[in-house]
Amino acid sequence: LQNGLPPSQFKPSINNLFRVLRDPLCQPLPSQANSFQGRAFVIADATNASASFQFLRVVRENRLATIVGQAAGGNLQGINGDSYALLNLPNSRFEIVIPLYFQAPRTPQPDATVIPDHLIKPSVDDIAAGIDTELNYILKSREQVLPQYLCGAALR
């Protein structure tokens, strides 16, 4: 706010905090003529926190892709991030990270995370053998999805 955010884009909230009403830097992009029109998949698990959790939430809310895997590692009620205070405890040499920023949704949300459209949990044996259970599920269940559109997939 001190750097010149116009008053029309924020309002006072509780405890001397402010609520940003619209982020001027995050405007929708127009569709392109050559945009991908096929079926997209996103693999998720508990490591999806912070920005990747926000990405999964947007994918789910806008039905942009089919989510496969396990529950994400964030919470629909909001996330901490952006700025942190570090507390160093000299005797134990522990460092505690204290988030100073909390991003909450505009409307109340359940105490829950993003659950995939298709829950796939690799077994210990699959992990030990290097089997990508989620990718195998996608490849077996896909309908008219060309392999080159599966980002990051090493297809043999």
Side-chain angles (χ1 to χ4, degrees):
L1 297 177
Q2 293 173 348
N3 293 328
L5 188 62
S8 64
Q9 294 183 0
F10 68 90
K11 69 178 183 178
S13 188
I14 59 172
N15 299 328
N16 294 322
L17 299 175
F18 295 87
R19 180 178 300 274
V20 175
L21 302 174
R22 184 177 62 83
D23 187 343
L25 301 176
C26 295
Q27 299 300 318
L29 297 173
S31 295
Q32 300 296 312
N34 64 348
S35 63
F36 176 68
Q37 299 298 314
R39 186 172 172 202
F41 295 88
V42 176
I43 297 174
D45 66 17
T47 63
N48 292 117
S50 194
S52 61
F53 173 78
Q54 297 287 49
F55 171 76
L56 286 172
R57 187 177 55 86
V58 169
V59 166
R60 165 54 52 81
E61 288 173 358
N62 295 285
R63 306 305 297 164
L64 299 173
T66 300
I67 303 173
V68 175
Q70 300 170 53
N75 191 296
L76 296 172
Q77 292 181 339
I79 63 168
N80 295 320
D82 193 33
S83 297
Y84 301 93
L86 301 177
L87 175 63
N88 291 297
L89 303 176
N91 293 333
S92 64
R93 297 187 182 167
F94 282 113
E95 180 178 79
I96 300 171
V97 179
I98 303 167
L100 302 175
Y101 180 79
F102 176 70
Q103 182 179 355
R106 292 181 185 200
T107 59
Q109 298 294 314
D111 184 11
T113 189
V114 174
I115 303 297
D117 300 302
H118 301 280
L119 284 169
I120 306 296
K121 186 172 181 181
S123 69
V124 172
D125 292 337
D126 288 341
I127 295 168
I131 296 171
D132 191 332
T133 309
E134 295 91 342
L135 180 59
N136 287 342
Y137 177 85
I138 291 168
L139 293 173
K140 288 177 184 173
S141 67
R142 68 192 162 129
E143 297 172 10
Q144 300 176 351
V145 175
L146 300 176
Q148 64 265 30
Y149 292 118
L150 294 171
C151 299
L155 303 176
R156 295 179 201 104

